Amino acid sequence: MSISGAGKQPNQPGDNPRYIRVAGTDRIYDRNKLLVVLLVPLMMTLMQVSAVNNVLSAMGQAVSASDAQLQWVLSGYALAVGIVLVPAGRIGDIFGRSSVFVIGFSIFTVASLLVGLANDPTTLNLLRLVQGFGAGVLSPQTTGLIQQYFTGQARARAFALFGLVVSMSVAVGPLMSGLLIGALGRETGWRWSFIINFPIGIIGIILALMWLPFGKERRHVGPKKGEARREYIDSQKSKGVPYKKRKRIDLDPIGMGMLILAVLGVMLPFMSTGQVWVWALLPTAVILIGAWVLWERRYKKRGREPMVDLDLFKIKTFSYSAAISAVQFLGMTSIFVVLALFLQRGLGATALQVGLVSLPNALISGYAAIWSGKRAVEHGRGVQVMALILMLVGVLGSIAVIWSIEFGISFWWLMIPLTVLGFGQGAMGSANQTQSMLDVPPTAGGTAGGVMQTGQRISTAVGNAIITAVFFLGQRLYTGDDGWYIGIILAYVAVTFFIIIALVIAISFWRDGYKERRTTATDGAV
């Protein structure tokens, strides 16, 4: 699969841009329904990270889990998601994204029910791995299907909603789990923060089977031999569909295996506590990544189809946006983790109060994602710069409020800087996602989405390890309540450092676009 033909839209809809006509079938598909089916499951999978932060204490008591075992409730899910994203995106690009989406969603749905019913830490963690595997399978199909069936401003709007889901899920997750614990009690509430995915998932799977286009899958199934094959070819011709001989399916299993091991080697050291030996995996992973790059290049030179066509990284909009996203994820995804620890353990706040403090952040991020989506195609580079500046202001404002809490003001004042932060998060998610896929051809949509999200998952793992380590280091520097204040302030200073690096990259991306426009204008004048 070559990285070319960016911006071309296969299977163009009819006169009404809301609808999709898939080649090889008379069915018409509704883009609005397609977005509902894609984005609700995506939000469910993302909330399984943020919601769990708020129920760890209740969960640990219920299943008698140690701190190390509880860590794997978070880490195991993230690890399973991270290692499967790119292979799943590649498989979806080849066999059909709708089918792979339904498979991943089904695994996630069943695993969610079983996680909620688990009664011991070993079973709980194994099921969280399965749940993460299902989430990792469906996630890149979301990006791929949007890239395949949307174009122009419609695609920007779809990615705006995508960004809304990503940003809101971070803040809505703790609120949902806090409400469930408040309404049902600690023992039952944490279980329902998982079980609730099951009835929603069953409805979602049924709607996915009804509303998703399964056009590409038809090219990989059907009669293949003898009289049945001839009848199949004749039936296709009678419908006006030219029969094409199927290409040999090339999954690049060696490249796939090398990348899985490399991602595992990078993420595992940052997710394990007290295991010194796992750090030996990190240099091994770096060597594996280098070997994987060489393998993919040679694989393509031999005329084969590599799992990831490295020409993808020659697309400026993709490379810059992926770098900005990865760096800002190093800090941003840990903000609410340490905030929950500070409020609950340091100040004695309830899980519901933690959720309510973050509610304005969720609401404004939703508005910002839609606002940004209307500007993401033409002004997406500048929007990313503005979004990162607002994030910087929000984090610095949070530090100021936290310092003031020690002198008597209420922690509810945190809602103000978190609201500023939320606008930046929502605007960033929408603009960054749109810009990253702006010039990626639809045929590579799932793989590109998998690469993008893998970078985010690795950054989340590394960032969580760094930011929480800084938090606990600061907390240990001082005994008593002062330690909690020092811990979160130092953690937020570290977050600020990563945001500044992302901002520098975003400014470079913005200036690069400005130079391109000036060059184009000059050439046009000549």
Side-chain angles (χ1 to χ4, degrees):
M1 175 173 57
S2 101
I3 302 298
S4 59
K8 295 180 180 178
Q9 174 69 22
N11 308 322
Q12 289 283 354
D15 295 334
N16 191 334
R18 173 177 167 179
Y19 298 99
I20 306 163
R21 184 185 297 278
V22 179
T25 176
D26 295 329
R27 290 193 62 184
I28 304 294
Y29 295 90
D30 188 324
R31 279 195 174 101
N32 291 344
K33 293 179 179 178
L34 175 61
L35 278 178
V36 170
V37 168
L38 293 178
L39 296 181
V40 172
L42 178 68
M43 189 166 192
M44 292 165 65
T45 63
L46 293 171
M47 285 174 63
Q48 285 301 290
V49 179
S50 60
V52 172
N53 291 326
N54 216 9
V55 301
L56 283 177
S57 177
M59 184 190 300
Q61 290 178 0
V63 300
S64 302
S66 66
D67 288 343
Q69 289 169 325
L70 279 180
Q71 157 119 29
W72 276 102
V73 173
L74 288 171
S75 301
Y77 181 86
L79 190 65
V81 172
I83 63 176
V84 78
L85 282 168
V86 179
R90 166 70 171 159
I91 290 170
D93 287 346
I94 294 175
F95 289 102
R97 298 167 184 132
S98 296
S99 293
V100 178
F101 178 90
V102 171
I103 292 169
F105 194 16
S106 300
I107 294 170
F108 173 83
T109 298
V110 175
S112 295
L113 172 65
L114 297 177
V115 167
L117 299 176
N119 288 311
D120 66 87
T122 301
T123 303
L124 178 68
N125 281 313
L126 287 174
L127 290 170
R128 278 286 281 177
L129 286 170
V130 177
Q131 190 189 31
F133 178 85
V137 170
L138 78 85
S139 292
Q141 316 315 324
T142 303
T143 309
L145 284 163
I146 291 173
Q147 190 74 359
Q148 181 177 0
Y149 292 114
F150 293 78
T151 186
Q153 193 56 42
R155 183 184 291 170
R157 174 179 170 270
F159 280 130
L161 294 172
F162 184 102
L164 182 154
V165 165
V166 172
S167 58
M168 284 191 67
S169 63
V170 175
V172 171
L175 178 62
M176 180 204 72
S177 55
L179 287 171
L180 287 171
I181 288 178
L184 303 175
R186 290 172 63 83
E187 170 62 33
T188 305
W190 79 263
R191 294 185 181 277
W192 272 93
S193 65
F194 295 100
I195 295 173
I196 196 172
N197 291 321
F198 184 72
I200 298 173
I202 293 298
I203 295 170
I205 291 166
I206 293 170
L207 294 178
L209 293 171
M210 293 170 55
W211 293 349
L212 286 183
F214 289 85
K216 187 167 185 175
E217 284 80 346
R218 293 180 176 85
R219 297 202 289 272
H220 298 286
V221 296
K224 303 173 187 177
K225 296 181 180 180
E227 187 64 30
R229 178 176 178 274
R230 284 190 291 273
E231 290 177 3
Y232 175 69
I233 296 172
D234 291 340
S235 69
Q236 292 293 89
K237 287 181 178 179
S238 68
K239 296 177 183 177
V241 180
Y243 178 77
K244 296 181 181 179
K245 186 177 180 181
R246 291 177 300 165
K247 293 173 64 177
R248 181 179 178 273
I249 296 172
D250 191 348
L251 288 176
D252 185 15
I254 294 178
M256 193 176 291
M258 290 173 72
L259 186 61
I260 288 173
L261 290 174
V263 172
L264 183 67
V266 172
M267 293 181 71
L268 195 58
F270 293 97
M271 293 179 162
S272 302
T273 55
Q275 304 288 334
V276 177
W277 65 268
V278 297
W279 290 99
L281 296 175
L282 202 53
T284 306
V286 172
I287 294 170
L288 263 176
I289 291 172
W292 172 75
V293 169
L294 293 174
W295 170 265
E296 296 293 88
R297 285 176 177 167
R298 291 187 61 185
Y299 204 71
K300 184 178 180 180
K301 285 181 180 179
R302 287 161 49 194
R304 308 292 294 274
E305 293 189 4
M307 182 180 67
V308 177
D309 189 333
L310 297 178
D311 285 350
L312 187 67
F313 295 99
K314 294 180 181 178
I315 301 173
K316 280 189 177 181
T317 48
F318 177 81
S319 297
Y320 265 114
S321 297
I324 294 166
S325 175
V327 174
Q328 64 109 2
F329 262 70
L330 284 169
M332 294 304 299
T333 53
S334 304
I335 284 177
F336 289 99
V337 176
V338 295
L339 182 65
L341 289 169
F342 170 72
L343 291 177
Q344 288 184 291
R345 296 187 184 180
L347 303 184
T350 66
L352 179 57
Q353 287 174 323
V354 173
L356 290 174
V357 166
S358 62
L359 180 59
N361 174 282
L363 296 177
I364 197 67
S365 67
Y367 169 78
I370 301 301
W371 176 89
S372 173
K374 296 176 182 178
R375 298 159 176 81
V377 175
E378 295 295 326
H379 306 289
R381 301 185 187 200
V383 169
Q384 290 185 78
V385 172
M386 180 211 70
L388 286 163
I389 291 173
L390 288 176
M391 289 184 204
L392 192 60
V393 171
V395 175
L396 292 175
S398 297
I399 292 173
V401 172
I402 289 164
W403 181 80
S404 301
I405 290 172
E406 192 171 11
F407 295 95
I409 76 165
S410 170
F411 65 78
W412 293 104
W413 284 97
L414 280 166
M415 294 170 111
I416 295 175
L418 290 179
T419 300
V420 177
L421 177 72
F423 195 98
Q425 287 175 299
M428 167 56 75
S430 180
N432 182 264
Q433 190 65 49
T434 301
Q435 285 287 312
S436 70
M437 304 300 287
L438 193 63
D439 300 315
V440 173
T443 51
T447 303
V451 170
M452 188 88 172
Q453 292 180 49
T454 299
Q456 293 169 355
R457 298 289 80 75
I458 290 174
S459 293
T460 299
V462 175
N464 278 339
I466 293 173
I467 302 303
T468 54
V470 171
F471 174 78
F472 286 119
L473 175 63
Q475 194 263 332
R476 286 194 297 269
L477 289 176
Y478 291 84
T479 58
D481 292 339
D482 286 348
W484 296 107
Y485 290 95
I486 297 298
I488 192 169
I489 288 173
L490 288 179
Y492 278 12
V493 168
V495 170
T496 300
F497 172 74
F498 291 125
I499 295 175
I500 290 172
I501 295 175
L503 179 59
V504 170
I505 300 171
I507 291 172
S508 177
F509 184 34
W510 180 46
R511 292 183 63 184
D512 189 68
Y514 177 72
K515 290 177 182 177
E516 287 176 359
R517 286 194 299 273
R518 285 192 62 184
T519 302
T520 302
T522 303
D523 291 345
V526 173

